[in-house]
Amino acid sequence: MEWLDEYEKLVIRMNTPRVVIDNAVCPTATLVQVDSVRKRALLLEAVQVLADLDLSINKAYISSDGRWFMDVFHVTDRLGRKLADDSVITYIQQSLGTWNEPSRPAALEGLTALELTGADRTGLISEVFAVLADMQCSVVDARAWTHRGRLACVVFLRGEELAAGTDDDRVARILARLGHLLRGAGEAPGAVAAVPAAGVAHADRRLHQLMAADLDRATSFPELSPAVSVQSWAERGYSVVTVLCRDRPKLLFDVVCTLHDMDYVVFHGTVDTAGDRARQEFYIRRADGSPIRSEAERERLNQCLQAAIERRSQEGVRLELCTPDRPGLLSEVTRTFRENGLLVAQAEVSTKGDLASNVFYVTDAAGKAADQSAIDAVRERVGADCLVVSEEPRPPQVFQKDGPSDRDHGSVGVSVGLVYLGNLVKRNLYNLGLIKSCS
């Protein structure tokens, strides 16, 4: 019936997120506004899309008013510039302006994912890639993190090679060999599993989950570790999470991802950066609508957030490898790291067509700064033209010029040029008593 079709269209319009991207209202950043009927994972999906595009979120306002949800993000590219690429803007609009979660990269369709966790040691990643090369596996994409002596790794392999009809137990033999490498004594032995790539919603999010499940908990923190507090606001039925730490790429994603995977819902929040420091504040409840009630749960959330922030701290020398892909490439490169006493703290492996584009963060065997002679020796062996030392791109400190009131905690997020979309969200936060008046 015609009226039913119109009703269905109305329901779709009401439930489909509305995405507005504006370069005009703020002089230093592009505004990305997402408002929609409140949905459980909407905030995580929005932050994930922006993080995957390597965009920096300098400020953000999050507000849930009844059943309606609005996020406003101030974003720049990694060099601190507004978004000027129409294809990037279109991708954001198309990815967030749907009912569904952001689509997985088409390049990962039909692949098999290996998930590995275990005690880290010098050369372990090299040994993992050596086994895969020996088993004639083609690595299409991989992510590896190390933290507090533990390793988590997700490797995507060409599925058609693993499914060869002449070798039905090939996957089992690969898992057995990798399991032998990861076998460890103690309370947290290693583990390895093979799953369809379609079952891995997001590689970085899966790494967080693997490390959390691998008993990655805070024990002691260095002086510059993130400051996380979890307080109760019983009058409003919220728990208040505050994060104060050095700003870095994908910081907001790591925090929001951890909250989501621990089954907390963010109802309101503000994010602000000043220089190289970041301040994030979230008003949360558990998925059942209740705040955190026990000290044990509060401490667990505190430790998990600190661990999530620390594990992507990107310590070490950043080496970029860009070269034509070939069988055994990763094994050769990581073996060269090992032979020169370098530990791979993080790795991001990707292939585009016949080109391998990899990033490694390396330290010495003790986790300290790598010796320059070791870096030079590795580059000479691999090829100085294809393996280069590069610094993490950092945007200019454009938010250093805020006035005195901007540094006050009660007016976090207030800066020159905020007479625009952000005011709508800030008004909701003010009406709820979550921030002070900005007048």
Side-chain angles (χ1 to χ4, degrees):
M1 298 176 64
E2 185 176 348
W3 68 269
L4 186 58
D5 292 340
E6 291 301 318
Y7 176 75
E8 290 176 349
K9 292 178 183 178
L10 176 62
V11 171
I12 291 174
R13 284 199 300 270
M14 289 177 61
N15 286 277
T16 300
R18 179 173 175 265
V19 182
V20 176
I21 299 178
D22 198 318
N23 266 319
V25 294
C26 179
T28 57
T30 298
L31 252 69
V32 178
Q33 176 187 343
V34 183
D35 45 349
S36 168
V37 171
R38 184 153 57 88
K39 187 174 66 167
R40 171 76 168 87
L42 179 62
L43 176 60
L44 176 60
E45 292 169 13
V47 173
Q48 176 180 310
V49 167
L50 299 177
D52 287 347
L53 291 170
D54 283 335
L55 301 180
S56 297
I57 300 176
N58 303 319
K59 295 180 185 290
Y61 308 102
I62 302 153
S63 179
S64 175
D65 188 2
R67 296 187 177 183
W68 199 255
F69 199 81
M70 178 183 289
D71 302 333
V72 177
F73 305 98
H74 298 205
V75 304
T76 60
D77 64 17
R78 296 290 284 277
L79 298 178
R81 303 170 301 193
K82 289 186 178 184
L83 307 187
D85 189 334
D86 289 339
S87 64
V88 172
I89 293 174
T90 300
Y91 176 81
I92 295 173
Q93 291 172 326
Q94 292 178 346
S95 297
L96 298 180
T98 65
W99 271 353
N100 304 316
E101 295 183 7
S103 59
R104 299 180 180 88
L108 299 183
E109 293 297 327
L111 303 184
T112 296
L114 299 180
E115 300 178 347
L116 307 91
T117 57
D120 189 30
R121 64 178 188 276
T122 302
L124 177 58
I125 289 181
S126 170
E127 294 172 21
V128 168
F129 287 130
V131 167
L132 296 177
D134 187 57
M135 297 295 292
Q136 298 181 338
C137 298
S138 297
V139 177
V140 178
D141 195 276
R143 297 288 187 275
W145 292 351
T146 61
H147 186 228
R148 297 181 192 151
R150 303 296 294 180
L151 165 75
C153 184
V154 178
V155 183
F156 295 91
L157 307 176
R158 295 196 190 281
E160 63 271 16
E161 297 176 358
L162 294 179
T166 57
D167 195 359
D168 293 336
D169 66 340
R170 189 174 178 209
V171 172
R173 290 193 290 116
I174 293 172
L175 296 180
R177 290 187 62 179
L178 292 175
H180 179 74
L181 292 179
L182 298 168
R183 185 178 56 197
E187 299 180 357
V192 59
V195 298
V200 181
H202 188 269
D204 287 359
R205 182 179 173 190
R206 186 57 184 150
L207 286 174
H208 277 303
Q209 294 169 345
L210 290 172
M211 297 206 90
D214 195 44
L215 305 181
D216 178 24
R217 294 292 184 265
T219 52
S220 61
F221 304 102
E223 228 176 273
L224 296 178
S225 66
V228 179
S229 69
V230 182
Q231 304 295 328
S232 174
W233 192 12
E235 296 83 357
R236 298 278 181 160
Y238 290 115
S239 297
V240 184
V241 175
T242 305
V243 176
L244 295 168
C245 66
R246 168 177 275 182
D247 190 29
R248 61 160 174 78
K250 302 186 180 181
L251 174 63
L252 181 58
F253 170 81
D254 293 335
V255 172
V256 170
C257 175
T258 301
L259 291 172
H260 183 275
D261 286 341
M262 294 184 72
D263 223 20
Y264 295 108
V265 179
V266 176
F267 284 83
H268 307 280
T270 59
V271 175
D272 187 52
T273 59
D276 66 346
R277 306 299 295 173
R279 185 179 194 276
Q280 303 179 0
E281 190 170 66
F282 304 98
Y283 297 79
I284 67 170
R285 294 177 180 142
R286 292 186 294 196
D288 62 6
S290 63
I292 297 173
R293 300 193 185 280
S294 71
E295 184 61 32
E297 183 182 359
R298 185 178 294 109
E299 181 63 21
R300 177 174 176 270
L301 174 58
N302 186 309
Q303 293 179 351
C304 288
L305 284 172
Q306 294 209 38
I309 294 168
E310 285 181 355
R311 68 174 64 112
R312 207 212 292 255
S313 59
Q314 298 174 332
E315 298 294 333
V317 178
R318 188 177 194 265
L319 297 174
E320 291 188 9
L321 175 68
C322 188
T323 187
D325 194 24
R326 66 177 187 276
L329 173 65
L330 287 170
S331 175
E332 295 174 16
V333 173
T334 53
R335 183 178 68 246
T336 304
F337 292 154
R338 181 189 64 196
E339 291 172 349
N340 286 272
L342 297 180
L343 179 70
V344 178
Q346 290 186 43
E348 298 179 10
V349 175
S350 62
T351 56
K352 297 179 180 178
D354 296 328
L355 188 67
S357 179
N358 307 328
V359 176
F360 304 96
Y361 292 86
V362 298
T363 66
D364 67 10
K368 306 296 184 182
D371 188 76
Q372 185 60 46
S373 62
I375 299 295
D376 293 340
V378 167
R379 294 189 63 213
E380 184 177 353
R381 285 272 303 277
V382 175
D385 293 335
C386 59
L387 184 65
V388 299
V389 179
S390 65
E391 293 185 2
E392 186 70 30
R394 297 283 182 181
Q397 310 301 336
V398 296
F399 293 106
Q400 293 275 27
K401 300 180 180 179
D402 293 344
S405 63
D406 301 325
R407 294 188 292 269
D408 184 81
H409 282 179
S411 54
V412 166
V414 185
S415 66
V416 176
L418 284 189
V419 188
Y420 42 85
L421 296 174
N423 282 340
L424 178 58
V425 181
K426 289 173 62 183
R427 184 168 65 249
N428 288 340
L429 298 178
Y430 170 65
N431 291 336
L432 288 165
L434 303 182
I435 62 174
K436 295 179 181 179
S437 174
C438 303
S439 58

